[in-house]
Amino acid sequence: MNASIQKISFQFLLILAILVCFTPLLPGLLGLFFSAFSYIPAINLQTFSLTGFFELLHWPGLRESILITLFVSLSSTFLSALLAFSILQSCWNKAYWHKVESLLAPILALPHVAFAIGFAFLFTPSGFIARILNTLFNDLGIANWSLINDPYGLGLILGLTIKEIPFLLFMSIPLLKQLNVNSTLVSAQSLGYSKAQTWQKIILPQWLPKIRFTLFAVMAYSLSVVDVALVIGPTSPATFPVLIWQWLNDPDLATLPKASAGALLLLLTCIVLLYLIRFIEWLTIVKCRSWQTSGRRALPLAGKSALLVTYLISLIPLPLLILWSFAQRWPFPELFPTHWSLRFWQQEWTFLWGIIGNSIFIALISATVALLFAIVIHEHSIREMADRRRFVVPRLIISIPMLAPQLSILFGIQVATLFVAHQYYYLWVIWAHIFFVFPYVYLVLDGPWRSYEKRLDMVALSLGMSPLKVWWKIKRPVLLPTLCIAWAVGISVSLAQYLPTLMLAGGRISTLTTEAVALSSGQDRRISAIYALLQSLVPFFFYFIAIFASQKTGMIINQSTVNKRSIAHHVPDSKKSDYY
């Protein structure tokens, strides 16, 4: 009876996970398609037409906006991939590599918006770098130069590249362990290959296919990013996603068909770029593979320099935010504030409690539910593969929220909520957060779940333990550190969500991210620094809790050390004789 109840409960959770994590795709895409063709009954548009597309194509500056968006997306994606690989080539398994890994978590915890605000404080004409250069070399006319809001999007490219390099490194670590890099290096060097040649001619062709989905996610994000582009991106013209976002916020509802046509075009552009990256990968490692076997040359890659610049630009904004939040007066070109004050903290503190509470409430629910559903999907996939069945949730469908532009899917979901019950905005916001958090949590769990020693479960089951008890007593302790980190990653991703919160709540829910973006343009730098600083510290807090919890319980153990006695400890006495 207990086994049947457990099976029914698991099937219920599986169905619920599929409904919550994948069904938003249907209203998202249908709502986008209908509204793009001017069918929006909620605003009295009840006939299909191409009006939105005509208005979109005749918009002045559209071509320039799309070109700058493509330039930013492709440049930042390829630069981040190149620099991440150069760092791996130069630093993998060096004495300091464990320090590189330990610094990835705090950098990944830093939300994109908080990083963008700190990046702006660093590179504006009166930013910290300009202050240092002015102090060292006096006046060099630096005040007329800036990477922030430059018309070519160079500042946005640099910001996105620096922010995505740690993500690519983080996702590459388990992949390189699967490739057994150390043995490859020893074997290749015994055949006369240098270390650089081994990495570029042998490891790179294996690394690229395995990192493919991560590169897809990086490209899709850089193509459709709105919040970071609003802070440091070009303004004349703005990037295409920002242009669509401005149309969505237009008080005139007649602009909705044009905005949805733009969102559909953005989605189609994303699909084209995904195929472009896949084609370049195929061209590089399959079609034109002569470079792998001809000659002994290897490109010089400055991985250590790239690592140093990445970490400096990623970590310096945090102390800058602290300085600005307490600065009463900070005139240019002084390196530090001349007057300090708590006035701005005291002024905002009464508003911050509610905003922090909203942010943490939504993040905790979203990350916890996403973690539960990711566990259910993983367990289902393992069971189906073990029974040689075919009903396994495709990884591509799981990755769609990462690969498709947020703006395109959210616009369709927003239109769909008008037909249902848009007044339940907390429900829609949490659902959207779960939808976008789930793929990241799933990917964090993917490697450890696949590498888990399944024979431990088989032995425990053969000794009479129920599947639920096996999972709780055997598998959970082994995977607890990964579960804690996945939970913290989910919270961090939820806290960084800007468009889902703003679009589905209609401005009724204020979070640290929405307030930080709103205050970053034209408001006092001190207040902007407060919100960006808090947006950075909250994910750090949950990462610390996750790491502390896994260490405190003493559950960080190597799978190879779990022997038959640890399993037999939970086995009924009547079965122990069979085991020994």
Side-chain angles (χ1 to χ4, degrees):
M1 180 63 70
N2 290 334
S4 62
I5 293 176
Q6 291 177 13
K7 184 176 180 180
I8 293 173
S9 301
F10 181 80
Q11 291 175 346
F12 171 76
L13 286 176
L14 177 63
I15 294 172
L16 187 62
I18 293 174
L19 289 176
V20 173
C21 297
F22 304 122
T23 52
L25 289 172
L26 185 61
L29 296 177
L30 288 179
L32 173 63
F33 181 81
F34 287 152
S35 56
F37 287 93
S38 302
Y39 184 78
I40 314 176
I43 59 173
N44 205 28
L45 294 176
Q46 300 182 358
T47 57
F48 289 95
S49 73
L50 297 175
T51 304
F53 292 97
F54 287 131
E55 293 179 354
L56 174 67
L57 295 176
H58 288 87
W59 184 264
L62 176 67
R63 182 172 63 88
E64 291 78 6
S65 178
I66 293 177
L67 288 176
I68 194 68
T69 303
L70 293 175
F71 175 62
V72 168
S73 178
L74 292 174
S75 299
S76 60
T77 300
F78 287 120
L79 277 176
S80 59
L82 175 62
L83 294 177
F85 181 78
S86 68
I87 292 172
L88 292 171
Q89 174 184 309
S90 302
C91 307
W92 179 261
N93 267 0
K94 291 292 180 65
Y96 52 84
W97 177 249
H98 68 282
K99 296 181 180 179
V100 175
E101 289 189 70
S102 62
L103 280 175
L104 288 178
I107 292 178
L108 289 171
L110 183 65
H112 283 78
V113 173
F115 170 76
I117 294 174
F119 185 87
F121 289 168
L122 195 61
F123 287 103
T124 51
S126 59
F128 196 69
I129 289 182
R131 295 171 186 269
I132 293 176
L133 293 177
N134 192 282
T135 301
L136 294 177
F137 305 107
N138 296 323
D139 187 11
L140 292 176
I142 297 172
N144 297 323
W145 173 86
S146 175
L147 281 177
I148 308 304
N149 304 132
D150 69 289
Y152 303 105
L154 299 179
L156 183 58
I157 291 173
L158 178 60
L160 292 174
T161 300
I162 294 297
K163 195 67 180 74
E164 298 302 344
I165 287 175
F167 177 61
L168 289 173
L169 292 176
F170 179 77
M171 299 303 293
S172 297
I173 291 172
L175 299 179
L176 291 182
K177 289 179 180 178
Q178 292 177 9
L179 294 177
N180 203 359
V181 172
N182 296 335
S183 299
T184 302
L185 288 171
V186 172
S187 301
Q189 288 174 358
S190 67
L191 296 174
Y193 284 88
S194 67
K195 180 183 176 183
Q197 291 168 355
T198 304
W199 274 92
Q200 295 177 26
K201 295 178 180 292
I202 300 176
I203 298 175
L204 175 62
Q206 301 176 67
W207 176 75
L208 273 179
K210 291 183 176 294
I211 205 71
R212 181 187 305 151
F213 276 96
T214 305
L215 287 177
F216 284 173
V218 169
M219 189 282 303
Y221 177 82
S222 61
L223 177 71
S224 60
V225 63
V226 172
D227 46 7
V228 176
L230 286 172
V231 179
I232 62 176
T235 56
S236 55
T239 58
F240 191 42
V242 172
L243 198 60
I244 299 171
W245 177 242
Q246 291 171 352
W247 293 335
L248 288 175
N249 288 327
D250 196 315
D252 184 7
L253 296 180
T255 61
L256 283 181
K258 177 176 64 179
S260 56
L264 182 58
L265 178 60
L266 186 67
L267 177 61
L268 296 176
T269 304
C270 181
I271 294 173
V272 172
L273 291 187
L274 290 179
Y275 277 103
L276 176 62
I277 290 181
R278 182 66 183 92
F279 173 74
I280 293 174
E281 176 197 323
W282 172 81
L283 195 66
T284 303
I285 65 177
V286 176
K287 187 65 176 177
C288 304
R289 59 172 55 182
S290 60
W291 62 274
Q292 295 177 242
T293 55
S294 61
R296 292 177 171 270
R297 295 182 181 179
L299 296 176
L301 298 177
K304 295 180 181 179
S305 301
L307 178 66
L308 180 62
V309 172
T310 299
Y311 276 14
L312 284 177
I313 297 181
S314 298
L315 296 176
I316 285 178
L318 191 59
L320 280 181
L321 294 175
I322 297 175
L323 290 177
W324 269 111
S325 68
F326 291 103
Q328 172 69 32
R329 187 169 180 272
W330 195 350
F332 185 83
E334 298 293 334
L335 288 179
F336 297 98
T338 56
H339 295 83
W340 305 82
S341 176
L342 290 172
R343 179 168 68 90
F344 298 97
W345 280 95
Q346 295 169 347
Q347 171 184 319
E348 296 295 320
W349 196 247
T350 55
F351 306 102
L352 283 171
W353 280 113
I355 295 172
I356 294 173
N358 279 338
S359 303
I360 294 178
F361 172 72
I362 295 172
L364 283 176
I365 293 179
S366 304
T368 305
V369 174
L371 178 62
L372 174 63
F373 288 163
I375 292 172
V376 171
I377 296 294
H378 272 298
E379 287 296 320
H380 168 73
S381 300
I382 289 175
R383 294 181 185 183
E384 292 296 303
M385 288 187 291
D387 295 339
R388 295 184 179 180
R389 299 175 185 173
R390 296 183 178 179
F391 180 63
V392 178
V393 180
R395 191 174 180 182
L396 179 60
I397 294 180
I398 295 173
S399 303
I400 284 179
M402 297 173 59
L403 304 181
Q406 270 194 356
L407 193 60
S408 301
I409 295 179
L410 283 171
F411 185 84
I413 296 176
Q414 185 184 41
V415 172
T417 59
L418 298 176
F419 295 93
V420 186
H422 65 278
Q423 66 270 24
Y424 302 117
Y425 45 88
Y426 262 104
L427 174 63
W428 300 125
V429 168
I430 291 174
W431 190 13
H433 277 232
I434 295 172
F435 177 65
F436 289 108
V437 166
F438 172 78
Y440 291 93
V441 175
Y442 181 90
L443 287 179
V444 173
L445 296 178
D446 189 50
W449 229 267
R450 291 175 183 271
S451 61
Y452 174 75
E453 183 55 72
K454 301 178 183 62
R455 288 178 295 180
L456 299 175
D457 292 352
M458 295 171 61
V459 171
L461 289 170
S462 68
L463 294 174
M465 294 178 67
S466 66
L468 180 61
K469 195 171 183 179
V470 169
W471 191 93
W472 185 256
K473 296 291 187 180
I474 307 299
K475 194 169 189 177
R476 180 191 60 86
V478 173
L479 296 175
L480 182 61
T482 302
L483 293 172
C484 292
I485 294 300
W487 180 70
V489 168
I491 290 175
S492 177
V493 173
S494 177
L495 288 169
Q497 295 301 310
Y498 173 69
L499 288 179
T501 307
L502 209 55
M503 291 183 68
L504 297 181
R508 299 179 184 91
I509 298 177
S510 296
T511 64
L512 289 171
T513 300
T514 60
E515 293 300 307
V517 175
L519 293 168
S520 65
S521 56
Q523 297 293 328
D524 195 302
R525 285 188 179 185
R526 300 156 187 82
I527 299 177
S528 300
I530 290 174
Y531 283 88
L533 179 62
L534 289 173
Q535 196 206 12
S536 306
L537 293 179
V538 172
F540 279 125
F541 173 73
F542 283 104
Y543 267 101
F544 174 78
I545 289 179
I547 295 173
F548 177 78
S550 60
Q551 293 178 344
K552 187 67 176 178
T553 53
M555 295 298 184
I556 300 181
I557 55 175
N558 192 309
Q559 292 183 18
S560 62
T561 63
V562 181
N563 53 29
K564 61 182 181 181
R565 294 184 182 275
S566 66
I567 297 176
H569 177 72
H570 303 289
V571 177
D573 293 336
S574 60
K575 295 286 184 177
K576 287 186 179 180
S577 59
D578 298 333
Y579 183 61
Y580 292 105

